[in-house]
Amino acid sequence: MKKILKSAALAVFAVILLCGCTVTKTKESSLTFNVTTGDQIKVTLNRIDGYKMDSKSPFTVSKDDKDIMTGSFVTKDGYDQYYNLVRELDKEDDSDTEIIKEGTKDNNSYIMYKVTSDDKTEYDFIIMIDDSQTGVLLGCLESEDAAKSCFEALKFECVK
């Protein structure tokens, strides 16, 4: 009889424990890339809007099986070259390059700009990752809103 009571008590205890557990879907996914600068860069993607990211380099962010944005890593010198070129082209009157926004996000400085050629417009970002020797170039052939939304879903940090 004691054996049955112990078994019943354990079963009730197990049920109580399981009732307290919930299954939650993770809203973020992260990948860490070892880049040529020697930095380890963690890329975190908020998946709440259906975004997915592959683990290749360059990496691609997609939504609904459609590639939205591609990203690649550059050195600090590479970042400086892109940054200076975009700033120079933005100043030219007949340039197809226009800076849309400049600022910081997650302690990383960035420029968002667009490049128009023929009948296509590309929305790009140049990001310098805080506390690192690594920058990121992001390119999007979708709309400006799609580029901004995807950019907001990404977070970059140097973890080593």
Side-chain angles (χ1 to χ4, degrees):
M1 184 70 167
K2 278 187 174 181
K3 210 175 196 181
I4 293 173
L5 286 175
K6 280 185 179 178
S7 294
L10 284 174
V12 169
F13 182 71
V15 168
I16 291 171
L17 277 178
L18 289 175
C19 288
C21 297
T22 58
V23 176
T24 57
K25 269 189 160 180
T26 304
K27 294 179 182 171
E28 292 184 341
S29 62
S30 297
L31 294 169
T32 301
F33 294 88
N34 294 314
V35 296
T36 58
T37 61
D39 293 328
Q40 288 184 340
I41 304 299
K42 181 178 177 183
V43 181
T44 303
L45 177 67
N46 184 328
R47 300 180 312 161
I48 201 155
D49 288 329
Y51 291 112
K52 295 178 183 176
M53 178 173 51
D54 67 25
S55 60
K56 300 174 187 168
S57 184
F59 61 91
T60 301
V61 178
S62 60
K63 182 177 180 177
D64 301 326
D65 295 324
K66 185 175 185 178
D67 292 349
I68 303 294
M69 187 173 279
T70 302
S72 58
F73 300 103
V74 294
T75 64
K76 169 106 173 71
D77 289 339
Y79 167 85
D80 289 340
Q81 289 175 359
Y82 276 98
Y83 178 89
N84 292 332
L85 178 62
V86 168
R87 302 229 10 113
E88 286 174 30
L89 291 173
D90 181 60
K91 291 177 186 175
E92 295 178 8
D93 291 335
D94 61 344
S95 175
D96 294 333
T97 302
E98 177 187 340
I99 293 176
I100 297 171
K101 186 174 182 183
E102 194 167 354
T104 57
K105 178 181 176 286
D106 305 317
N107 294 321
N108 302 321
S109 58
Y110 74 91
I111 291 180
M112 178 187 188
Y113 64 101
K114 69 178 181 178
V115 178
T116 306
S117 62
D118 299 325
D119 60 343
K120 294 187 180 195
T121 302
E122 182 173 333
Y123 296 93
D124 297 335
F125 294 84
I126 306 169
I127 306 157
M128 188 64 213
I129 300 172
D130 188 45
D131 260 349
S132 79
Q133 293 298 310
T134 304
V136 183
L137 306 177
L138 298 174
C140 176
L141 293 172
E142 299 299 316
S143 69
E144 182 176 344
D145 287 340
K148 286 178 178 178
S149 178
C150 190
F151 175 68
E152 287 302 319
L154 288 165
K155 180 179 179 181
F156 300 93
E157 62 183 309
C158 182
V159 293
K160 182 182 173 213

